[in-house]
Amino acid sequence: MAGSYAKIDYRVRPAKSIERKMLVDSFRALRSFGAVEKYRYVGLGSVYFTDFSLVHRALGIEEMVSIEDAQDLTVQARFRLNVPFGNIQMHFGASTAVLQKLKWNVRTICWLDYDGALAASCLEDVAYFVRNAPSGSLLLLSLNAGPIQSSGSEGMKPLDTLKVQVGAEAVPADVENKHLSGWGVGDVYRRIVMAVIEEALRVRGSTGGSSSRMTFEPVYNFRYADGTKMVTFGGVLVEDAHKGVFRACNFEQFEFCRFGGDAYLIEAPLVTYAEMRHMDSERTKASCRLPLPAAEIEKYAKFYRYFPKFVEAEIS
């Protein structure tokens, strides 16, 4: 369910935390389109509102909308209790309905951070955003790309289940069951979403006017596993007249940005606070003298700027 409050606390999801910090760092590149603090942020905040806090503190964005599909009044009260800033507007309902109630006259960073697998409702959200958001807006989609679980009769194969999830017409004709294993699930999800984006752009272009002539420029393609395989992909809507503006964003400056089908894998190291502190202190040295596997040291060296920092405390 989109925006479910039962999401896992980010503190036990280091790869997710790394991804979040990378994304916010790269959002600054949008300044070529205009002041980033003037953007609107739309997301599925969960009860922790972690991305909202980071976006507001790091980028100064004031206009923020959190969508939560929660009908229970007690659950809604819990969300309102945990809202960290007064400028976050809470909207309760399915993302498909809420997105259509918003005004689309402001550049928007929209992170559809779904809890589950790709579904037809996700594709509807994507299509609506692409048909309506202004040039310079950024769209992100996060999905559970673990094994496809059958929700129908016993013995359904993954391909059949996928067709039930998203609609048979949305699945590329060349996709077979062999493609729906491992990270292949995420690759197929991305193909389906990109096809929906292209169709939405075609529909938008048919309406005429300069603002309708858009392309979608891919910028992100993350994959990681915090207990289950997850993927995040997205990019920027760019009006033809703003091609030069998009190039000036220079997303190439970020080593983790991806502009095609190749994904950036986040592998969070398994290290303690003391080990992180020691590696930080020895960054300028040729080698790190710790009784750790070399792979964990290399991972930390790669992600240390974005790795979550915790405070250890002893309670007697």
Side-chain angles (χ1 to χ4, degrees), residues 155-170:
M156 282 186 69
K157 293 184 178 180
L159 180 57
D160 296 324
T161 302
L162 177 62
K163 289 179 178 179
V164 172
Q165 287 177 193
V166 303
E169 69 285 351

Side-chain angles (χ1 to χ4, degrees), residues 49-162:
F49 292 94
T50 309
D51 52 324
F52 284 80
S53 295
L54 186 57
V55 164
H56 178 64
R57 294 183 187 280
L59 305 178
I61 292 178
E62 292 288 344
E63 187 175 354
M64 311 181 84
V65 176
S66 180
I67 303 172
E68 295 298 337
D69 193 1
Q71 304 304 318
D72 185 275
L73 295 181
T74 301
V75 174
Q76 292 183 8
R78 185 183 181 194
F79 277 111
R80 292 193 176 97
L81 175 66
N82 284 281
V83 171
F85 305 111
N87 54 299
I88 297 177
Q89 305 169 38
M90 286 299 311
H91 288 263
F92 295 107
S95 52
T96 304
V98 174
L99 288 175
Q100 297 181 26
K101 295 178 182 177
L102 302 179
K103 294 182 179 179
W104 291 96
N105 57 355
V106 60
R107 291 191 179 104
T108 299
I109 298 170
C110 182
W111 188 355
L112 300 174
D113 190 2
Y114 299 111
D115 292 329
L118 184 64
S121 59
C122 305
L123 300 180
E124 188 175 344
D125 290 346
V126 169
Y128 186 83
F129 179 92
V130 172
R131 291 196 303 266
N132 292 277
S135 179
S137 294
L138 187 149
L139 175 66
L140 287 164
L141 207 71
S142 291
L143 297 160
N144 185 323
I148 294 178
Q149 302 296 327
S150 174
S151 58
S153 59
E154 292 294 328
M156 282 186 69
K157 293 184 178 180
L159 180 57
D160 296 324
T161 302
L162 177 62

Side-chain angles (χ1 to χ4, degrees), residues 180-251:
L180 297 173
S181 62
W183 288 112
V185 175
D187 292 336
V188 171
Y189 282 174
R190 184 179 184 276
R191 288 184 61 192
I192 291 172
V193 170
M194 291 304 296
V196 168
I197 289 173
E198 288 302 316
E199 174 60 17
L201 289 170
R202 186 195 66 77
V203 172
R204 183 169 185 164
S206 67
T207 63
S210 59
S211 63
S212 66
R213 294 195 292 272
M214 295 268 193
T215 59
F216 184 80
E217 303 296 336
V219 175
Y220 307 106
N221 189 3
F222 288 106
R223 59 175 56 165
Y224 60 90
D226 275 336
T228 187
K229 287 181 169 62
M230 298 291 295
V231 293
T232 296
F233 39 82
V236 182
L237 276 175
V238 183
E239 186 179 315
D240 284 355
H242 294 159
K243 295 294 187 184
V245 178
F246 174 73
R247 288 193 293 271
C249 290
N250 187 29
F251 280 99

Side-chain angles (χ1 to χ4, degrees), residues 274-279 282 287-294 297:
E275 290 163 348
M276 288 188 286
R277 183 175 56 196
H278 185 87
M279 286 186 283
E282 295 200 345
S287 61
C288 179
R289 294 166 298 183
L290 273 177
L292 283 174
I297 295 174

